[in-house]
Amino acid sequence: MTDKAILQDINDILSASKHKKNLRELYTEKRDSLELSDNQISDVLGIQYKSLMRILNNEAQKIDYVTLYKFSRFLNVDIEELGKIYMSDDSETVVEIDLARRNTYIVENFDLKDLKNIGLIKSVSNLREIEKRLLDFFQFEKITDYDGLMTGVMFSKTKLTPHDKMRSFWVKSAHALFKKIDNPNDYLRSDLVDLIPKIRPYTQNVRKGFLIVAQALYNIGITVIFQRYLTNTQVRGGTFFVNGKPCIVITDFNKSYPTLWFALIHELYHVLYDLDRIQKNIFHLTGEPDMLLIEEEKANDFAREFLFSNEKTKFIASLIHNHVVVSNYAKESQVHPSLIYAFFQHDKSMDGEDYWGAFRDHIPKSDIAVEHLNLVPWEKETIDQSVEELKEILIKFV
């Protein structure tokens, strides 16, 4: 049995033990049935009389295993059960056990090093401060309420790796945001089909285009939020089904502007064609394996053809170093030039050629586009603060 299981078992039985006989009552019944005095029992057990009285009066600071074993044999009570009965009479011991239980839960379910790296906690060693921060952030009454977020979904491993912990935290944070935002607009697939062809031109507006599209999607029942890419994960984005509606998370994976748009169209493909399966599992992550066996290549192909097709890339390839020509062709195609460069780089990398540094001056960083959506929820005091700010942003019209 693991330490966590032992602590949980003790905690459960401590609660039950409040309705059972305590150590003093068990001892008295046994003593009277044998018609012996306390002094005689002291001799029988080989425990000094004063020590025996301190134990029975809950005045002993600690009780060692040998002494507990002697009581177990004398009272004919299983030693584990007797230990729990003894501890249930000692409020300080119960507090110690509960503290150890909570501490164990925290270190087994959260990657403290990465939580510090992203700014959620300040220290990896002050567990009382860490617990308070997590309780405040999620608005929990107790730390084990974390289990109640998305109960039974994906997080059933008995031993979580740092990757599992951060993946779980990332997903649960996003899900909690979506649930609290609770988009009031109805979602109809036909509305999304009508909206998608209108999205491409907004890639040309680096500062506001992504936000405008996020607001338009919110208006048809699809909530889009931005969360920073977390180390120890491969998550590039995700599609969720929360409160009966599709929701999308986009990350700043590789911090590239073209990747931001590619990720959004990729996730919208999942909303269009995979929503029934995602609904059953609550979410699907892009960049991480899951149990849905969703074909990511189809979503990738959809995003590529929608934004800037293979044929168009081949057409402009011979002129790729002429920025004026590329810019004009981008304008004609209603996309930002950076998407052309990004797809050209990608295609060349598939052929074993490295062009990733050739056009860096023409590819904006993603942080410019998500400036208004990048609220970094884990830097807020509570997740509710992010919810209110996001609601205000998403219902505005720029």
Side-chain angles (χ1 to χ4, degrees), residues 326-337:
V326 171
S327 296
N328 288 335
Y329 194 51
K331 186 175 182 180
E332 180 184 329
S333 302
Q334 294 187 308
V335 296
H336 191 271

Side-chain angles (χ1 to χ4, degrees), residues 142-297:
K142 57 185 184 300
I143 193 62
T144 51
D145 288 345
Y146 187 67
D147 286 337
L149 294 177
M150 306 175 69
T151 305
V153 180
M154 155 182 130
F155 312 116
S156 58
K157 289 185 179 180
T158 55
K159 186 176 182 181
L160 300 176
T161 66
H163 167 271
D164 295 326
K165 294 173 186 178
M166 287 311 293
R167 182 173 181 253
S168 171
F169 175 79
W170 191 93
V171 169
K172 288 187 174 186
S173 295
H175 186 269
L177 272 170
F178 288 134
K179 193 168 185 179
K180 288 175 176 287
I181 289 172
D182 193 17
N183 191 327
N185 300 299
D186 294 331
Y187 168 70
L188 294 174
R189 187 178 185 276
S190 58
D191 290 339
L192 179 57
V193 171
D194 291 340
L195 179 62
I196 283 182
K198 303 172 186 176
I199 290 177
R200 188 188 302 108
Y202 288 95
T203 65
Q204 298 170 99
N205 186 341
V206 175
R207 292 198 173 276
K208 291 186 177 181
F210 195 85
L211 174 60
I212 293 171
V213 171
Q215 291 170 328
L217 288 167
Y218 185 80
N219 198 47
I220 63 167
I222 303 172
T223 305
V224 177
I225 66 170
F226 173 84
Q227 282 195 171
R228 285 181 184 170
Y229 169 76
L230 297 181
T231 56
N232 279 334
T233 74
Q234 294 298 316
V235 181
R236 304 182 184 190
T239 300
F240 290 64
F241 193 84
V242 184
N243 296 342
K245 294 164 189 174
C247 304
I248 292 174
V249 190
I250 302 297
T251 76
D252 57 350
F253 180 77
N254 82 21
K255 302 187 183 302
S256 169
Y257 180 71
T259 303
L260 197 68
W261 285 103
F262 187 87
L264 177 62
I265 303 303
H266 177 107
E267 299 305 330
L268 287 175
Y269 173 90
H270 289 317
V271 174
L272 280 172
Y273 300 105
D274 299 313
L275 198 58
D276 287 344
R277 282 191 286 175
I278 292 171
Q279 179 178 354
K280 293 177 182 177
N281 202 58
I282 301 180
F283 70 98
H284 165 72
L285 301 182
T286 297
E288 291 267 335
D290 66 15
M291 299 302 292
L292 298 183
L293 302 178
I294 287 175
E295 297 182 45
E296 296 290 11
E297 285 306 311

Side-chain angles (χ1 to χ4, degrees), residues 65-112:
Y65 183 84
V66 173
T67 301
L68 191 64
Y69 180 76
K70 290 177 180 179
F71 269 98
S72 170
R73 294 299 300 271
F74 176 69
L75 299 173
N76 195 28
V77 176
D78 178 78
I79 191 167
E80 275 194 41
E81 178 65 19
L82 185 62
K84 294 162 188 175
I85 292 171
Y86 172 73
M87 287 184 290
S88 70
D89 289 337
D90 185 343
S91 60
E92 289 186 8
T93 301
V94 172
V95 169
E96 285 185 31
I97 291 173
D98 185 60
L99 182 61
R101 178 182 62 85
R102 284 150 45 206
N103 289 346
T104 300
Y105 183 89
I106 290 170
V107 298
E108 288 194 344
N109 287 276
F110 298 94
D111 185 333
L112 302 185

